Amino acid sequence: MRLSPLTKRRINRFFKIKRSVLSLAVLGVLYILSLGSELIANDKPILVFYKNTPYLFNAYIFHSDKTFGGQYDTEAQYRGLNKTAAFMQGSGNYMVFPLVPYSAYSSSLDELRGNPPTAPDAIHILGTDDRGRDVFARLLYGFRTSLTFALVLLVLEIVIGCVIGALQGYLGGAFDLVMQRLIEILSALPFLYIVILIGNVLGQSFGMLILIMAIFNWIGLSYYIRSEFLKNKQFQFVEAARALGVRGAKILFSEILPNALTPIVTFMPFSLISAVFTLTALDYLGFGLPAPTPSWGELIQQGMENLSSYWLSVYPFIILFLTLLLLAFVGEGLREALDPREYSRME
Amino acid sequence: MNAPLLEVRGLKKYFPVRKNMLWSRQATVRAVDDVSFAVMPSETIGLVGESGCGKTTLGRVISLLLRPTAGKITFDGRVITGLRGRALHRYRHSLQIIFQDPYSSLNPRKTVFDIVLTGIRAFGIVKTKKALMDKAEALLTLVGLSPQYLHHYPHEFSGGQRQRISIARTLAVNPRLVICDEPVSALDVSIQAQILNLLNELKQQLSLSYIFISHDLSVVKYLSDRIFVMYRGKIVEKAAAAELFARTAHPYSKALISAIPEPVINQTKKTIILKGDVTTPVGAIEGCCFRERCYMAQAVCRTTSPPDREIHPGHFSCCHFAEQVAPPAGGGKS
Amino acid sequence: MANEKPLVNVKRLSIGFTVEEKYIEAVDGISFAIGSCESVGLVGESGCGKSVTAMALIKLLPVPVSRIACETLEFAGKDLLSLPHAEIEAIRGREVGVIFQEPMTSLNPVKKIGVQVEEPLRIHLPAMEKTERRLRMFEMLAEVGLSDAERVAASFPHNLSGGMRQRVMIAIAMVLKPKLLIADEPTTALDVTIQAQIIDLIKRLQEQYRMSLLLISHNMGLVTTVCERVFVMYAGRLAETSPLEELFSHPLHPYTQGLLKSIPTLSTGREALQSISGTVPHPSEFLPGCRFAPRCPYAFDLCRAPEPPPLFVRGPEHGVSCWLYREGDRPT
């Protein structure tokens, strides 16, 4: 398929904006790396070499204590493994731990010097939280959670926003009128109360939170899509398609939608920003993801409670700020690249 | 004489307009108000009138893009008004339309290949990829474009080339009647002749019928066998092209003809300057629709709507004084 | 007119624009003169630079994106190139009136018509009494055929029809009795019968006020009914300049010849129109040498050489920019 020269020009223009490209690259690389968080920060080793057998990726594959000469059917306790008799007996048995050998979920109370939260030192470079969990590990896992949450939410928003916005714009009339009133009602509902209410009744969970937020957040996008469809359906190519016998749904999604993509693309980074921010805020308030999911908001909240432990609030804050800043840079670049000023014609 | 390809009887298309913000006060714009005519196979009808006279609406109704408020359209001996869904779908490809604006009538996100094949895909006429490619190439060649442009996008073309693409898209579904809605008025002067010639050639080659809608009488005269003059939703005069100019029988047609600025020097014709403005036909009017601007209006024009009279064989006029407007047959001044 | 000093005298005017970091020469070294009380038509297709030329005359082009180079630019004996900005503004308002194509966008939608017609008076004749100003405004509205001047003056642009708006535009342009009226496609947005009204009005005012008229249009027919002399522009250059009648009886430039043959008129028959092949070039694709060469049936090697053809003089006030006329031979 040949890319339209216009699309090519837009992509080229985006790649000329250094700051945005760099931001996108940094965010992309970090997110891909964070998908493998278990291999970066974990108390389970990447490789266990035991009795001439290599056991790889123990973070993802379950090995019971018995495998390594223990007596329980539960998962092996890797951190203490090298001290067990069975492990020490055979020569050539060894383990390779990730860069940061601490998990975001389990505390290492027995290894801590002092009471948690402990200040950053050579072992826990960003310190530990009030349950003795490594702050770096929690920030890393939190990054993954936040961005995944934001991306899934974005997809849902785009699907709902596009379908409803497109139908409103294209059909117009009574459907548009009724939907517009429903949207007004929906946007008048207090989002936070609904989250608390449903969280209390049905229990907090990742899926539930995304669903509730999706129900509220598609509205912004639907406005743009609606106006794009209102504008584009006036063009004669839509009428031409109708005259040629193209059916309604096909006109909607194959004739008009490709022309309405600009607002979706420019909307994406800003939607991600708002999702990350909202999730952090909800976690801070305790209405977000259920414990013990690692999250920035929860860390900042701990920082509030332990004001003397600066690392609990400063580091998450810095990470949050940088993430939002990078997203904003990407958004700025996209908007610049898609700016239709270039079409201004000259007579 | 053989049977007409298209016959229109008492066609009306009204649009509701809200006169003020309250819901109750509704008025109607009578965009097309009781229009009747027939189009013969391989005939070109010119439809002239000024903006808001309803010529575009009439074209939209005939090309099945709008439903008429009242009236009957017969195509090829079958009544097609009132048909819906699949039954209507069968007739769509026979009645096609070419639009005025070569910029907005092509989807900027599609390649020429996809644009030209829009109709073919919708009707599922051609299936295999190879056959589609051949068809697209043949269509471009037909309208005088090189097939090498198949994978280009519309904005890479000039207005005239775009109009050719738009013609190719229309012809892809083998229409029998093509409604040309001001197909050259958005084009540069030196390009207009190219498109007009192309339309004429295609008509001969594919034995098409045209309804050629335009505000430009000289363009219409060049292409048409018969000319209909529209004013405020009504066809006020119908005549064979030569007849219309030789024996104009409606004061509006006469003013329209005289108002065209022509690139001919030492003109002897006197321009009739009409008073007033072209207005949108909101609500019903009593008497003749043209009386407010007419330079010949009498008392009777205010009260009685003039009937559509045949003042010569094949020459109809909606004017009480048609005979006075038209110079007498035979001894007409040129 | 020939012995008098012309009202407008332009020599070697070039206008360029920077669009997307590319420099585009929209107008390339054109020279012309307009006599006083003369009506001149500037004919050309989209992108040929006709509007830009007119705007350059009154220095109304956006400065950062455009570059204007000119040898001579005189208006009523004054050298516009050396005049300070304030004086140019005074000339622009008082001695040159402009009518644009789109009367809706050229009028301010939130000001009453009366106020807008009075505005030029208020700016350029600040000493004028208020009552006198109003009187002049009503006089002008009546002059342009708006019979119900009281009501029109009190209404807003959206209350008026297209034809009435264009009349208002003419009133604004004429209220200071300018020496030159520039009409840029004044009737393109209007219906045929309304166009006839407006053209009739412009012709009448031109005679009555004894002013020069520069009519810019793509419509040969319109120029024919109004003008005495015609400049034909093609792709940023003057192709031919000639008195109207001479242009029709002896069109010299192949472009003019093709153009006249390709326009259907009420007197042409049903035989195929002679069309000019090819497409109108966009300013970014202008070629060196003669820009009409790719579409010209008579083009030969000299036409494709990098040097553009100069304006060869053929007969009184008849110039043509085509290599065919370098020694006096004509195409048949």
Side-chain angles (χ1 to χ4, degrees):
Chain A
M1 199 194 88
R2 187 168 159 261
L3 269 180
S4 141
L6 177 66
T7 316
K8 257 192 238 160
R9 205 159 60 216
R10 286 172 167 177
I11 293 173
N12 285 342
R13 213 151 24 145
F14 179 74
F15 277 103
K16 269 195 205 137
I17 307 168
K18 290 271 151 37
R19 190 164 60 185
S20 307
V21 179
L22 204 69
S23 305
L24 183 65
V26 169
L27 277 175
V29 168
L30 283 183
Y31 184 62
I32 290 168
L33 283 180
S34 80
L35 288 178
S37 294
E38 280 85 355
L39 302 178
I40 298 169
N42 207 337
D43 54 359
K44 294 170 188 168
I46 299 171
L47 170 70
V48 181
F49 200 83
Y50 180 70
K51 288 191 175 163
N52 296 327
T53 323
Y55 298 90
L56 260 172
F57 302 123
N58 302 292
Y60 303 110
I61 304 160
F62 177 86
H63 296 295
S64 73
D65 198 27
K66 280 183 177 163
T67 322
F68 304 110
Q71 37 191 312
Y72 306 110
D73 279 329
T74 53
E75 181 156 25
Q77 291 295 311
Y78 295 102
R79 283 200 71 80
L81 203 59
N82 52 356
K83 309 224 167 53
T84 60
F87 201 85
M88 304 234 304
Q89 264 168 20
S91 62
N93 291 347
Y94 63 88
M95 293 193 285
V96 179
F97 274 94
L99 223 54
V100 180
Y102 303 100
S103 160
Y105 292 95
S106 47
S107 48
S108 43
L109 286 174
D110 40 342
E111 295 172 34
L112 283 181
R113 280 173 286 176
N115 288 331
T118 58
D121 54 25
I123 302 164
H124 295 284
I125 47 169
L126 300 183
T128 61
D129 72 358
D130 62 359
R131 261 150 265 178
R133 296 173 296 201
D134 186 71
V135 170
F136 175 81
R138 282 192 76 77
L139 284 179
L140 180 69
Y141 281 67
F143 179 74
R144 182 171 70 176
T145 322
S146 296
L147 277 198
T148 309
F149 181 87
L151 286 170
V152 174
L153 184 62
L154 179 68
V155 171
L156 286 178
E157 270 175 40
I158 289 177
V159 170
I160 304 175
C162 273
V163 170
I164 293 179
L167 286 174
Q168 272 187 291
Y170 186 67
L171 298 176
F175 179 80
D176 187 29
L177 207 71
V178 171
M179 278 316 292
Q180 211 57 29
R181 299 292 86 75
L182 284 180
I183 286 175
E184 275 160 25
I185 293 171
L186 195 60
S187 40
L189 288 179
F191 166 66
L192 199 59
Y193 284 139
I194 304 275
V195 171
I196 297 170
L197 206 70
I198 295 185
N200 273 321
V201 175
L202 298 172
Q204 294 170 330
S205 78
F206 191 81
M208 186 62 69
L209 197 62
I210 279 194
L211 209 68
I212 298 170
M213 281 188 66
I215 287 171
F216 280 91
N217 279 19
W218 58 268
I219 295 172
L221 183 62
S222 85
Y223 287 147
Y224 292 112
I225 299 291
R226 173 173 173 266
S227 65
E228 281 293 308
F229 270 69
L230 270 178
K231 185 181 83 191
N232 277 294
K233 79 168 175 184
Q234 314 274 341
F235 285 131
Q236 282 174 346
F237 63 79
V238 175
E239 223 169 6
R242 276 211 306 134
L244 285 162
V246 181
R247 300 298 170 100
K250 198 145 182 263
I251 290 182
L252 220 61
F253 293 107
S254 125
E255 296 282 341
I256 309 183
L257 189 62
N259 288 293
L261 289 178
T262 309
I264 302 182
V265 175
T266 38
F267 176 81
M268 283 194 313
F270 300 103
S271 159
L272 292 179
I273 289 175
S274 103
V276 169
F277 189 77
T278 313
L279 181 68
T280 309
L282 283 176
D283 281 336
Y284 174 79
L285 295 173
F287 302 123
L289 298 172
T293 319
S295 97
W296 298 344
E298 189 241 15
L299 266 178
I300 295 174
Q301 196 259 332
Q302 284 189 27
M304 259 297 276
E305 282 168 12
N306 305 281
L307 279 174
S308 53
S309 313
Y310 70 89
W311 60 93
L312 288 180
S313 44
V314 169
Y315 293 128
F317 173 76
I318 291 174
I319 293 288
L320 178 66
F321 173 74
L322 286 178
T323 308
L324 297 187
L325 188 71
L326 290 180
L327 280 172
F329 282 158
V330 175
E332 187 196 18
L334 280 177
R335 208 181 44 195
E336 187 80 25
L338 295 175
D339 195 334
R341 265 180 318 186
E342 61 166 318
Y343 308 119
S344 50
R345 286 183 49 184
M346 200 191 70
E347 184 71 36
Chain B
M1 218 177 192
N2 42 2
L5 180 67
L6 178 90
E7 206 176 351
V8 171
R9 287 260 149 264
L11 196 71
K12 290 180 184 171
K13 178 71 194 175
Y14 294 173
F15 293 106
V17 281
R18 212 165 289 153
K19 263 192 165 170
N20 52 25
M21 293 311 281
L22 291 173
W23 294 55
S24 52
R25 286 271 300 266
Q26 286 226 330
T28 47
V29 169
R30 304 184 170 212
V32 176
D33 198 5
D34 199 5
V35 161
S36 305
F37 62 88
V39 183
M40 294 295 154
S42 310
E43 190 187 26
T44 300
I45 300 290
L47 194 57
V48 241
E50 296 178 277
S51 62
C53 75
K55 56 187 195 299
T56 296
T57 309
L58 181 57
R60 296 280 198 283
V61 172
I62 295 171
S63 58
L64 309 175
L65 285 169
L66 291 175
R67 287 189 173 278
T69 310
K72 199 167 79 173
I73 304 174
T74 316
F75 181 77
D76 210 9
R78 297 201 187 188
V79 179
I80 56 170
T81 30
L83 291 183
R84 278 170 189 279
R86 291 220 159 268
L88 184 67
H89 193 69
R90 275 215 311 277
Y91 286 94
R92 276 203 182 278
H93 68 92
S94 303
L95 292 158
Q96 280 302 313
I97 182 162
I98 297 171
F99 295 95
Q100 169 180 4
D101 182 0
Y103 291 89
S104 89
S105 65
L106 302 181
N107 192 334
R109 295 283 163 164
K110 295 198 158 188
T111 60
V112 173
F113 180 77
D114 287 324
I115 289 170
V116 168
L117 295 179
T118 311
I120 290 190
R121 285 185 172 143
F123 284 98
I125 307 169
V126 183
K127 292 275 194 284
T128 66
K129 203 159 186 189
K130 175 85 177 67
L132 281 174
M133 198 59 161
D134 290 346
K135 182 76 190 168
E137 282 180 6
L139 281 167
L140 281 203
T141 318
L142 184 69
V143 297
L145 282 177
S146 158
Q148 75 187 58
Y149 291 129
L150 267 184
H151 297 289
H152 287 241
Y153 284 83
H155 70 264
E156 297 168 77
F157 297 92
S158 67
Q161 290 169 321
R162 281 158 165 261
Q163 207 56 301
R164 283 175 196 268
I165 296 168
S166 155
I167 293 171
R169 170 178 64 186
T170 301
L171 296 178
V173 292
N174 303 321
R176 299 187 43 205
L177 174 66
V178 179
I179 292 123
C180 308
D181 188 0
E182 306 251 14
V184 297
S185 52
L187 302 178
D188 274 316
V189 184
S190 73
I191 305 299
Q192 288 189 0
Q194 291 178 6
I195 300 296
L196 290 177
N197 284 339
L198 175 70
L199 286 172
N200 239 356
E201 278 161 30
L202 291 170
K203 181 193 165 180
Q204 314 287 337
Q205 211 174 325
L206 308 168
S207 52
L208 299 168
S209 296
Y210 287 143
I211 294 181
F212 196 92
I213 301 170
S214 180
H215 67 277
D216 188 342
L217 256 175
S218 30
V219 168
V220 166
K221 186 192 176 219
Y222 170 67
L223 279 175
S224 312
D225 300 314
R226 281 193 294 152
I227 296 177
F228 300 167
V229 180
M230 265 188 104
Y231 189 78
R232 282 187 67 132
K234 290 188 195 295
I235 294 180
V236 293
E237 187 167 4
K238 280 181 273 201
E243 165 88 8
L244 181 83
F245 289 93
R247 276 188 295 278
T248 317
H250 196 283
Y252 178 64
S253 316
K254 196 156 191 164
L256 208 56
I257 292 170
S258 80
I260 304 170
E262 277 211 288
V264 177
I265 47 168
N266 300 325
Q267 293 176 35
T268 45
K269 75 171 184 193
K270 178 94 181 72
T271 306
I272 301 168
I273 309 264
L274 290 179
K275 54 190 185 236
D277 274 309
V278 185
T279 46
T280 322
V282 180
I285 23 166
E286 216 173 290
C288 175
C289 61
F290 183 57
R291 66 178 151 80
E292 284 163 356
R293 299 183 69 198
C294 187
Y295 54 93
M296 296 174 66
Q298 313 261 326
V300 61
C301 302
R302 205 172 308 256
T303 52
T304 323
S305 178
D308 197 10
R309 290 183 299 137
E310 187 164 18
I311 57 160
H312 277 286
H315 190 162
F316 295 83
S317 169
C318 273
C319 179
H320 293 298
F321 308 102
E323 285 78 7
Q324 273 119 288
V325 182
K333 49 178 183 198
S334 59
Chain C
M1 167 247 139
N3 4 0
E4 280 174 46
K5 210 165 160 51
L7 181 72
V8 178
N9 190 11
V10 179
K11 287 224 170 68
R12 304 199 57 78
L13 170 71
S14 295
I15 305 162
F17 289 92
T18 310
V19 179
E20 286 218 15
E21 290 149 36
K22 259 190 296 184
Y23 184 72
I24 291 172
E25 187 123 88
V27 173
D28 182 19
I30 66 169
S31 309
F32 61 90
I34 302 171
S36 47
C37 307
E38 193 186 20
S39 59
V40 174
L42 188 56
V43 189
E45 298 174 286
S46 59
C48 76
K50 53 188 192 299
S51 296
V52 174
T53 304
M55 292 305 102
L57 280 189
I58 47 171
K59 292 206 164 181
L60 248 189
L61 286 175
V63 176
V65 290
S66 67
R67 192 190 65 94
I68 305 175
C70 195
E71 220 165 71
T72 317
L73 184 58
E74 281 174 356
F75 182 84
K78 277 175 249 164
D79 181 11
L80 289 192
L81 291 175
S82 58
L83 277 189
H85 189 70
E87 267 184 70
I88 288 177
E89 275 198 338
I91 290 177
R92 189 193 288 160
R94 289 193 62 165
E95 302 186 16
V96 182
V98 189
I99 317 169
F100 296 99
Q101 174 177 345
E102 226 339 297
M104 191 64 216
T105 48
S106 341
L107 287 173
N108 188 337
V110 295
K111 279 190 186 171
K112 283 185 182 162
I113 296 297
V115 177
Q116 299 194 51
V117 176
E118 274 183 53
E119 198 151 85
L121 295 170
R122 207 165 26 239
I123 294 169
H124 294 285
L125 300 172
M128 202 181 213
E129 288 286 320
K130 198 178 170 189
T131 44
E132 199 188 339
R133 207 159 60 206
R134 278 195 82 69
L135 212 64
R136 175 86 191 108
M137 182 263 288
F138 284 129
E139 207 178 285
M140 201 61 233
L141 285 178
E143 194 99 68
V144 296
L146 294 165
S147 45
D148 196 359
E150 286 283 343
R151 194 184 57 83
V152 172
S155 49
F156 289 97
H158 64 264
N159 299 127
L160 305 180
S161 69
M164 289 167 87
R165 275 186 222 131
Q166 199 57 291
R167 284 174 194 270
V168 171
M169 276 306 295
I170 295 173
I172 295 173
M174 295 291 301
V175 74
L176 282 158
K177 302 180 180 164
K179 290 190 182 125
L180 171 69
L181 179 68
I182 298 176
D184 188 355
E185 303 266 6
T187 59
T188 309
L190 303 176
D191 278 312
V192 185
T193 54
I194 307 299
Q195 167 172 300
Q197 296 174 351
I198 297 294
I199 288 304
D200 188 58
L201 173 67
I202 291 179
K203 270 161 80 175
R204 205 191 70 221
L205 289 174
Q206 195 224 337
E207 277 164 31
Q208 189 178 331
Y209 284 79
R210 303 190 51 74
M211 61 176 180
S212 304
L213 172 71
L214 176 61
L215 176 72
I216 300 162
S217 179
H218 68 280
N219 188 338
M220 264 288 188
L222 198 64
V223 170
T224 315
T225 48
V226 179
C227 301
E228 300 156 21
R229 216 146 57 89
V230 182
F231 303 145
V232 182
M233 267 188 97
Y234 185 80
R237 298 208 184 111
L238 275 183
E240 188 163 357
T241 114
S242 159
L244 179 75
E245 310 206 344
E246 173 102 354
L247 189 80
F248 278 88
S249 53
H250 299 104
L252 294 179
H253 200 283
Y255 173 63
T256 322
Q257 293 173 347
L259 204 59
L260 289 174
K261 281 184 198 148
S262 69
I263 306 168
T265 65
L266 293 183
S267 44
T268 37
R270 300 288 299 268
E271 68 277 3
L273 292 170
Q274 290 189 23
S275 62
I276 307 175
S277 63
T279 56
V280 183
H282 186 265
S284 61
E285 11 181 90
F286 284 167
L287 299 168
C290 176
R291 287 168 180 171
F292 186 62
R295 302 176 72 189
C296 181
Y298 309 109
F300 60 110
D301 24 317
L302 193 54
C303 306
R304 292 175 199 100
E307 195 198 338
L311 206 66
F312 297 104
V313 179
R314 286 281 169 280
E317 293 181 44
H318 195 165
V320 57
S321 160
C322 175
W323 286 118
L324 288 172
Y325 299 95
R326 66 195 189 286
E327 280 140 18
D329 44 17
R330 296 179 171 190
T332 41

